[in-house]
Amino acid sequence: MFGLNKLFKKDNQLEQQIFSELAAYKSSVFPLGIESSWVEKIDIQGSIVKVTLNLPFAASGAAVFLREMLSSKFDKSIDVVINCLLPKDYKFKNIKHIVLVASGKGGVGKSTTAVNLARALQAQGGKVGVLDADIYGPSIPSLFSVMDEKPTTQDNQTLNPISKDGIKVQSIGFLVSPQDATVWRGPMASGALNQLLNETQWGELDYLIVDMPPGTGDIQLTMTQKVPASGALIVTTPQDLALLDAQKGIAMFNKVNLPILGLIENMSHFVCTHCGEKNHVFGKHGGEQLALRHAVPLLAAIPLNMEIRETSELGGCLSVEHANIFEHYAACAQTLSSMLYYQTLSAPTVDIVITDD
């Protein structure tokens, strides 16, 4: 089935066993197991084994649980190395995937989620950009702590994005003073967004994360009708009012035939710093029930955590300062990147299995 004889010698039983375990391993990241073409080599030197994989999506962090899984099954010291080699299948200029991060209403942490998801995709091995599509209330410059930066140009026709921590960023906030109000009608705002998207020298990107404004207005229509987006992520809180507005966002994307990649429940619960108990401040299982209703995965349940707010407001990176919190975004990024890869295949749609890994 997997062409074992082509990859390994028939008498090398351990290699075949390791490969079989990889092929059979199912998770949200690998819903079909590890494909044979992804296995670069399995190098066995006595009791030390090194497995090298080349993945067509950004999920280098998956090496951790693959290492643990294999080590638990074989009496060997097994190391797993993952190289992320995304195929050059561009959908828009030199951008492979455009992901819209949206919400039905403001105040649910959409921009913070978009930034941390972008950082997580980069940490997983992707080339990432962030476009701030909120023309009236841009938050991205502040969340990356680049408020005083101004885009440069080399040809007086296009702009170079601002680079922060290896992520390319573009926003109307770089061109308009934060003290000024952007008083534009819908067509003007849509035109400005078109310019930001089309007249920015993004270079090669695996993922462009678009921080959408709240609601279902002109900007949303522009991004869904004129841009080949791969899909939308809906950010909500468990609160009933937020869920009602998230439902409207889902309905809008369904009307324009843009796939809903999944839901992210932000401020899902608060973990008591004294006893460790989860407190569901804004309600319980709201995001899960909405996801089930629309047959889309709940990609993450992000806790209500002061470290997220403080680090984000300072433009810091959670992966460096609060790795335990960043794990939520990392797991979401791994699943999302694999979903986008499978989306591009001509094979039948696969079921995404969300696990506790």
Side-chain angles (χ1 to χ4, degrees):
M1 177 179 178
F2 293 95
L4 292 179
N5 291 337
K6 294 182 180 180
L7 287 171
F8 312 114
K9 297 178 180 179
K10 291 182 179 180
D11 59 348
N12 198 327
Q13 185 177 5
L14 179 57
E15 285 189 20
Q16 294 189 17
Q17 289 175 338
I18 291 175
F19 182 82
S20 296
E21 290 292 339
L22 290 171
Y25 181 72
K26 303 292 192 297
S27 71
S28 61
V29 182
F30 306 110
L32 299 179
I34 309 294
E35 295 184 18
S36 61
S37 59
W38 300 352
V39 182
E40 175 71 18
K41 63 179 177 179
I42 299 177
D43 186 25
I44 302 175
Q45 300 292 335
S47 62
I48 299 176
V49 180
K50 182 176 180 180
V51 179
T52 303
L53 303 177
N54 295 329
L55 297 186
F57 48 86
S60 60
V64 176
F65 57 78
L66 286 177
R67 185 184 306 124
E68 294 174 353
M69 183 270 292
L70 292 174
S71 297
S72 67
K73 294 180 178 293
F74 301 97
D75 188 21
K76 298 283 185 180
S77 175
I78 298 180
D79 186 27
V80 177
V81 176
I82 291 181
N83 302 312
C84 297
L85 306 175
L86 278 69
K88 293 184 180 297
D89 182 18
Y90 301 115
K91 287 191 174 181
F92 181 82
K93 297 185 176 181
N94 289 331
I95 301 172
K96 297 170 186 175
H97 292 287
I98 299 176
V99 178
L100 311 185
V101 180
S103 66
K105 65 178 295 181
V108 297
K110 169 185 54 59
S111 297
T112 300
T113 301
V115 168
N116 284 313
L117 179 61
R119 289 187 179 277
L121 284 168
Q122 185 207 35
Q124 295 301 316
K127 298 176 183 177
V128 184
V130 176
L131 173 63
D132 192 346
D134 195 342
I135 301 298
Y136 299 108
S139 302
I140 296 303
S142 176
L143 290 169
F144 276 102
S145 191
V146 288
M147 295 84 73
D148 298 327
E149 298 284 345
K150 299 296 180 185
T152 59
T153 180
Q154 294 178 336
D155 55 10
N156 293 321
Q157 293 181 342
T158 57
L159 296 174
N160 297 316
I162 303 301
S163 181
K164 178 64 183 293
D165 300 330
I167 297 176
K168 296 177 180 179
V169 184
Q170 184 61 287
S171 169
I172 194 68
F174 297 135
L175 306 173
V176 177
S177 171
Q179 283 77 37
D180 292 338
T182 306
V183 187
W184 292 343
R185 294 188 184 275
M188 291 180 65
S190 297
L193 177 60
N194 264 324
Q195 286 185 294
L196 289 175
L197 176 63
N198 290 285
E199 298 178 15
T200 295
Q201 293 284 3
W202 293 107
E204 288 191 6
L205 291 179
D206 297 318
Y207 308 100
L208 178 64
I209 303 300
V210 182
D211 180 29
M212 300 290 288
T216 56
D218 289 337
I219 297 295
Q220 283 78 5
L221 290 175
T222 296
M223 291 302 298
T224 54
Q225 294 178 347
K226 296 184 178 181
V227 177
S230 297
L233 289 175
I234 304 296
V235 180
T236 185
T237 66
Q239 192 176 14
D240 288 343
L241 288 176
L243 292 168
L244 287 172
D245 288 322
Q247 167 70 50
K248 294 177 183 177
I250 293 173
M252 183 207 69
F253 288 121
N254 285 336
K255 285 184 178 180
V256 295
N257 297 317
L258 184 70
I260 303 295
L261 299 171
L263 267 66
I264 296 177
E265 186 180 78
N266 199 30
M267 308 181 204
S268 175
H269 55 271
F270 173 75
V271 179
C272 178
T273 55
H274 298 290
C275 66
E277 181 181 352
K278 288 185 179 180
N279 297 285
H280 296 272
V281 181
F282 298 115
K284 191 175 183 180
H285 301 316
E288 180 181 351
Q289 292 170 0
L290 184 63
L292 287 172
R293 193 182 312 148
H294 292 277
V296 296
L298 179 64
L299 295 177
I302 311 295
L304 177 64
N305 190 287
M306 186 170 62
E307 294 167 346
I308 297 177
R309 179 189 64 80
E310 291 180 342
T311 304
S312 298
E313 287 183 352
L314 293 173
C317 185
L318 285 169
S319 64
V320 176
E321 302 172 36
H322 304 289
N324 59 322
I325 297 297
F326 192 70
E327 288 177 356
H328 294 281
Y329 299 103
C332 179
Q334 291 175 20
T335 302
L336 174 64
S337 61
S338 70
M339 288 175 66
L340 292 171
Y341 165 73
Y342 287 114
Q343 182 191 76
T344 62
L345 301 181
S346 57
T349 304
V350 300
D351 292 325
I352 301 300
V353 181
I354 304 299
T355 71
D356 293 329
D357 293 322

